[in-house]
Amino acid sequence: MVRAIDESLSTSPSVAKVIKEFRDEGYDALLVLEATVGFTKRRGGGGGEVSPKVSHTVLEETLTDKDQEFLKSLSIKLEG
């Protein structure tokens, strides 16, 4: 899971653009994500589409619309 998120972020044009903007302004950028990932067994045991979900507490209150749009682009769904 960590590898998949890392690959998504490192190849994202949106992330690269924002990091470039910070660097152009003379800042170094560091991105740290903290997530809790929960898994539950689906009834029937069959396959199907997997929808990654990240649980949160205070996170939703601090996210901007751009933050939420970015997470959506990574198929990360907030549960509340």
Side-chain angles (χ1 to χ4, degrees):
M1 178 73 74
V2 172
R3 195 173 312 139
I5 292 171
D6 182 51
E7 287 175 13
S8 294
L9 293 173
S10 64
T11 60
S12 168
S14 301
V15 173
K17 179 182 176 193
V18 172
I19 289 174
K20 182 183 181 318
E21 289 172 4
F22 280 119
R23 289 185 177 155
D24 289 348
E25 293 295 321
Y27 296 96
D28 286 327
L30 174 66
L31 175 63
V32 177
L33 296 177
E34 184 175 325
T36 302
V37 180
F39 296 92
T40 57
K41 191 78 170 173
R42 283 177 275 153
R43 294 182 187 185
E49 190 174 320
V50 176
S51 176
K53 294 183 180 178
V54 177
S55 63
H56 64 91
T57 53
V58 180
L59 181 61
E60 186 174 49
E61 297 171 6
T62 61
L63 290 176
T64 65
D65 290 339
K66 277 191 160 191
D67 295 332
Q68 292 181 29
E69 186 178 304
F70 173 70
L71 291 174
K72 185 178 177 182
S73 75
L74 296 175
S75 299
I76 297 175
K77 187 179 206 179
L78 298 177
E79 295 178 335

